[in-house]
Amino acid sequence: MRKSIFMYCKKFTLVKFLFSFLFVIATTTAMVAQDAAEGETLFKNNCAACHASTDEVLVGPGLKGISERRPIEWIVKWVHNPQAVIASGDKYANDLYNKFNKAAMTPYPNFSEAQIKGIIAYIDASNAAPAAPAPGAAPADGAAAPAAQSSGGMMEVLLVGLLIIMVIVLIALLSIVNSLSKLSKAAEEDPSKSFFERVSENAKSLAANSAVKTGIIVLVFLLGGKATIDAAYGVGIHQGYAPEQPIKFSHKLHAGENQINCNYCHTGVYEGKGANVPSANICMNCHNAIKRESPEIQKIYKALEKDEPIQWVRVHNLPDLAYFNHSQHTNVGGLECKNCHGEIEKMEVVEQRSSLTMGWCIDCHRQTDVNAKGNAYYDKLVEVHNKDSKTPLKVQNIGGLECSKCHY
């Protein structure tokens, strides 16, 4: 009996040690994921305009494999003050400086070493990940379709993977602890006890187990963290928003079945900063003779009689801090309405189909080919671009990632 208890304690201590070891690994992985997530934000906000996380050359060299090319101490000095590294006579720095036409890199002296390591972690992780599926076919006019809404950031993927691993480990540990508990009590178990009584006793024993409690706390922490991240990313996003309008207007009927061009009602769609909300007078071009008796059409008549505008509820709305020019995308870029708004011609009630977030716009700029066909303005740019690159000229190559383009 004494030997059985000793063996149980020894095995149980081993289980606790294994769980603690796995917990340390999980915590370390979560910290790496957090560093990479912070690095992604820093990279996209500060580096992406000049550098790609791949080996693609933009204004500066691609950063794929940077941690293998240079030691971290050198990278930190370079990010803090690149001109000082060049002035010191460093051969690698001077070769790089001369190769890229002596274009001065912006110094970031306020970046901590941990932040720089986070950027490197993001670059390494993004290159280790499988390649994203190819985007859909480009429209006939040469403009590629915008990127679909991302299902989640790298940190979210890592956390979900970590959660799955922890659940599997917890199930295995529970099984081991339960088996050891049964073995230790086999000698003193009362045969007269029912199966449910034995199960109840085992359940109470597991509930009092410190390893089980730790596992539950870790799971709650991971689930809570995942929920918090999802909620934070959802702030200000109104995807799926479909408000009720004062007049029941069917785009499916007008733009779909009757094939009325968007420009007929939204007069600024190809020429203005905004597409414009149609006035009641535009509606009356048709409805002074068509379906005049309809209760919904009568609302238009009442608005005209009172000389009041129809109080349409705006569906797609960007924050004031972002500049967006509608004609630049529809006229110059050659994008169709459905690229951003979805299949409007099939909607009875209009809803916001895309997230319209900054990341969504940037992804589109990275993947969309410049609509240069028949536009002499781009001829020289395309010629220069094709000398150094085999890929088509993208919006990002003509300043589509510069902050001042949308924020000024």
Side-chain angles (χ1 to χ4, degrees):
M1 179 65 181
R2 190 178 292 176
K3 183 178 179 181
S4 176
I5 294 175
F6 173 76
M7 290 180 64
Y8 169 72
C9 293
K10 186 175 180 180
K11 291 179 180 179
F12 183 69
T13 302
L14 178 61
V15 171
K16 290 182 69 177
F17 170 77
L18 287 173
F19 189 88
S20 301
F21 178 71
L22 289 171
F23 179 72
V24 170
I25 293 176
T27 305
T28 304
T29 305
M31 290 175 65
V32 171
Q34 184 176 359
D35 290 343
E38 182 184 6
E40 180 180 10
T41 302
L42 291 171
F43 178 86
K44 291 183 177 179
N45 291 342
N46 300 278
C47 313
C50 300
H51 299 281
S53 61
T54 62
D55 51 12
E56 180 185 1
V57 175
L58 301 179
V59 178
L63 298 181
K64 180 180 179 181
I66 184 62
S67 58
E68 299 173 1
R69 297 198 297 268
R70 306 305 298 163
I72 184 61
E73 296 79 8
W74 188 95
I75 297 174
V76 171
K77 291 180 181 178
W78 175 260
V79 173
H80 284 169
N81 194 342
Q83 289 300 322
V85 179
I86 294 170
S88 70
D90 185 284
K91 184 179 184 305
Y92 187 90
N94 279 274
D95 290 345
L96 197 67
Y97 184 57
N98 293 323
K99 180 179 178 180
F100 289 91
N101 302 319
K102 297 184 177 181
M105 173 179 155
T106 304
Y108 294 95
N110 295 328
F111 277 14
S112 66
E113 183 174 338
Q115 288 176 317
I116 296 172
K117 287 181 178 178
I119 294 174
I120 296 173
Y122 160 67
I123 294 170
D124 292 341
S126 63
N127 285 292
D141 56 12
Q149 172 65 11
S150 175
S151 61
M154 180 176 57
M155 183 178 181
E156 180 178 348
V157 175
L158 289 173
L159 284 175
V160 171
L162 180 61
L163 177 61
I164 294 173
I165 293 172
M166 291 299 296
V167 169
I168 294 173
V169 171
L170 181 60
I171 293 173
L173 288 174
L174 289 176
S175 177
I176 293 172
V177 171
N178 190 36
S179 298
L180 291 174
S181 177
K182 288 181 178 179
L183 287 173
S184 66
K185 294 180 179 179
E188 46 187 44
E189 184 177 334
D190 187 356
S192 63
K193 290 183 179 179
S194 66
F195 171 77
F196 293 104
E197 287 176 336
R198 293 196 298 271
V199 170
S200 177
E201 289 179 359
N202 287 332
K204 290 179 182 178
S205 177
L206 288 175
N209 192 298
S210 59
V212 175
K213 291 179 180 178
T214 304
I216 293 174
I217 292 173
V218 170
L219 285 176
V220 171
F221 175 77
L222 290 174
L223 290 173
K226 174 70 167 54
T228 302
I229 292 172
D230 288 343
Y233 273 105
V235 173
I237 298 177
H238 305 290
Q239 194 170 13
Y241 177 56
E244 183 178 351
Q245 300 291 351
I247 298 176
K248 297 186 187 309
F249 180 87
S250 171
H251 276 76
K252 182 179 180 181
L253 173 63
H254 292 77
E257 295 178 16
N258 295 327
Q259 297 185 352
I260 298 175
N261 190 282
C262 301
N263 188 48
Y264 184 83
C265 299
H266 302 282
T267 54
V269 67
Y270 297 117
E271 298 179 356
K273 179 179 179 293
N276 298 345
V277 177
S279 66
N281 289 327
I282 291 179
C283 302
M284 292 306 296
N285 288 342
C286 297
H287 289 294
N288 61 356
I290 299 174
K291 290 192 174 182
R292 297 181 58 176
E293 70 285 353
S294 168
E296 298 300 316
I297 304 303
Q298 285 299 314
K299 294 179 182 179
I300 303 176
Y301 279 89
K302 290 180 181 178
L304 288 169
E305 289 171 0
K306 295 180 180 179
D307 196 23
E308 295 178 350
I310 300 171
Q311 300 297 321
W312 299 107
V313 180
R314 186 167 187 145
V315 179
H316 304 86
N317 192 23
L318 295 178
D320 293 338
L321 55 86
Y323 173 80
F324 176 84
N325 190 301
H326 212 274
S327 63
Q328 178 67 27
H329 291 76
T330 56
N331 193 354
V332 180
L335 296 181
E336 299 180 7
C337 300
K338 63 182 179 182
N339 287 91
C340 299
H341 298 294
E343 296 179 310
I344 290 286
E345 70 278 6
K346 296 181 180 180
M347 297 184 190
E348 283 288 349
V349 178
V350 174
E351 69 173 76
Q352 180 177 321
R353 288 291 174 87
S354 304
S355 66
L356 304 183
T357 61
M358 176 176 163
W360 182 83
C361 295
I362 287 177
D363 285 342
C364 178
H365 287 182
R366 286 176 174 149
Q367 299 182 24
T368 302
D369 296 344
V370 174
N371 182 28
K373 186 178 180 181
N375 192 336
Y377 176 84
Y378 293 111
D379 289 349
K380 187 63 177 178
L381 286 173
V382 172
E383 180 183 347
V384 173
H385 175 79
N386 290 341
K387 286 181 180 179
D388 301 321
S389 177
K390 296 181 180 179
T391 60
L393 183 68
K394 305 287 185 182
V395 177
Q396 68 172 357
N397 302 130
I398 59 172
L401 301 184
E402 293 179 10
C403 303
S404 59
K405 294 291 184 181
C406 302
H407 308 290
Y408 58 94

